[in-house]
Amino acid sequence: MATMRHLPWPTGSLVEIDGSGLGKIMSSDMSTGDFMYEVEIDGTDFRVTLPEHRLTLLPKKKRFQNVDESEIDNFVHNQTNKNTLSKTMYDLKLLRNYLSSIGEQRSIEQIPVGELSQILCKFFLGIRKSDGSNYEPSSLRCFMSSFDRHLKRLDYGFSLVTSDEFRKVREVLQAKQRDLKKQGKGNKENKASAINDEEIEKLWESCQLGDKTPESIINTLWFYNTVHFGLRGSDEHRSMQWGDVKLNRDSSGVEFLEFTERQTKTRQGENPKDIREVKPKMFSNSENANRCPVEVYKTYAAKRPKDYCNAEDPFYVATHTVQSSMKSNAQWFKRQPIGVNKLSSTMKRMTSIAGIEKKLTNHSARKHLVQKLSENNVPANQIMQITGHRNIQSINNYSHINETQHKAISKILSTPSSSAGSAASSIYLAQQNNHIQNTAASTTSSTSSSCVTIHGGLNTLISGNVYGGSITVNVMSSTQNCGSPPMKKRRILPIDSDSE
């Protein structure tokens, strides 16, 4: 009886080649009497014809995967932000060391609520750094948040933040924070500053930014992606894939890069509808082609490995170690992602080589984005669409007076108004109203809010931005008769107060 031959494996099937490599069947042929398959090697465009005995047909992926109950909690836990998870584990280790020092062997989730409250009160009062100095007030608050996250994940039943059973712990923490503030803690002396235009120019002059070397291309793309797309310093860059950035043209033919956002600090993915309404764009700079972001992107695309430009491949790839002797037509980059430590220290490395001594970190570029747009009177609700913030107060936290403005204010305060102080005041007002011809009544409407920014002398009456509503201002000379009787003066009775 003749042996029944099976049908040829369908096109698109995944196969294993010689027990190791992977491939995909593109076509089949039986003209020689045996099944022969044209197979595309996985990750390449290379195709090879192979007999069936060298191939192993891989099973189709199941539509419904078997999930063990123990995997559920582990999956949810692993989706926690890595930085948050790392911070929680570090703080719990510190608390376990404290429990061990007082002879307590139970984990905090095993300790009854009354006992745990007393233990945490003593912990917050007595905790010190390894050198014996006090922690910053914000660090103590972070400890509390870490402990609360851990107890919540294990269904402890009580919250350190909201439950009455832990009210004493919160009171102790607040009292401790007030005491630390009296000692001068909590001023965040080590926070990074925003990088300014002069310092950015130094980065260009020192070739830390540009397209002449593999290193400078990576630096420039990182900087442009931070400033134009509003990305945060490290994690959001690390998660970028090549397909997240698309090169397009607008209706007038101007080229631009468009970014599609992945998971971020403010948009974790729990709500599928919580996405950016406007995709950030980065337009070409025809006036200065040497600093054009689109041209840098094109150079990067040409120098990357051709088989490492798939949509799911990492955006930032490693550079070759020896760069000085590389030819312009050589492949400048490796087929592997750039290291996370190198990416997270990009700004620090650039400024060190450029000789910039000011404390600047990756976050300094994002602060520069908000600071510069604010100084140029771009409304906060428009800045939010670039940075990806969801709370307008976050924009205000980023924006501060710059050094030039601070100098002008100091000059005004230290000089009599009848002399140079008047000139300094005029200079300051001129700086503030530099864009008044375009933004004197800067009103931006959206589906949710409108923003009116008050400029010039009216700032003495109204400071900051006004959202919603309407404002009517009537300006009259002091000699104009308003036709109404003068208001009677009322005696104001003093009220005793403990406040100074």
Side-chain angles (χ1 to χ4, degrees), residues 416-429:
S417 59
S418 60
S419 56
S422 178
S425 177
S426 300
I427 293 173
Y428 178 74
L429 290 175

Side-chain angles (χ1 to χ4, degrees), residues 301-471:
K303 300 294 185 181
R304 282 174 64 109
K306 297 301 181 184
D307 60 347
Y308 210 47
C309 292
N310 298 314
E312 67 277 5
D313 290 329
F315 185 87
Y316 296 98
V317 295
T319 61
H320 286 288
T321 305
V322 181
Q323 300 185 22
S324 58
S325 60
M326 296 187 66
K327 298 180 180 180
S328 60
N329 59 350
Q331 181 177 290
W332 286 10
F333 301 94
K334 299 179 182 178
R335 197 177 184 276
Q336 67 183 58
I338 197 170
V340 61
N341 293 330
K342 183 175 182 179
L343 199 58
S344 62
S345 61
T346 302
M347 180 64 78
K348 183 178 180 180
R349 186 175 61 256
M350 286 194 299
T351 54
S352 176
I353 297 175
I356 300 173
E357 297 182 356
K358 189 169 76 173
K359 180 179 176 61
L360 297 172
T361 67
N362 282 10
H363 191 56
S364 299
R366 185 170 162 86
K367 295 184 77 171
H368 167 79
L369 153 65
V370 178
Q371 185 76 29
K372 186 159 188 177
L373 293 182
S374 297
E375 290 174 1
N376 285 273
N377 298 321
V378 176
N381 61 340
Q382 290 186 13
I383 299 176
M384 289 172 61
Q385 296 182 50
I386 303 300
T387 63
H389 283 108
R390 293 191 297 181
N391 186 350
I392 203 165
Q393 181 58 39
S394 300
I395 300 297
N396 297 331
N397 292 339
Y398 271 72
S399 181
H400 307 284
I401 60 173
N402 60 35
E403 189 172 345
T404 302
Q405 293 168 333
H406 215 152
K407 286 180 180 179
I409 291 173
S410 179
K411 186 71 173 179
I412 293 171
L413 295 175
S414 60
T415 309
S417 59
S418 60
S419 56
S422 178
S425 177
S426 300
I427 293 173
Y428 178 74
L429 290 175
Q431 292 172 344
Q432 292 298 95
N433 297 326
N434 187 35
H435 303 277
I436 196 168
Q437 64 274 21
N438 297 322
T439 57
S442 175
T443 305
T444 301
S445 301
S446 65
T447 56
S448 58
S449 65
S450 62
C451 170
V452 178
T453 304
I454 305 300
H455 300 278
L458 290 178
N459 275 322
T460 59
L461 301 177
I462 303 173
S463 177
N465 297 332
V466 180
Y467 299 92
S470 60
I471 300 173

Side-chain angles (χ1 to χ4, degrees), residues 20 150 186 200 247 279 293 317 374 380 416 468 475 485:
S20 56
H150 177 73
I200 294 173
L247 178 60
K279 290 185 178 181
V317 295
S374 297
V475 181

Side-chain angles (χ1 to χ4, degrees), residues 37 93 229:
Y37 296 94
K93 181 180 179 180
F229 295 154

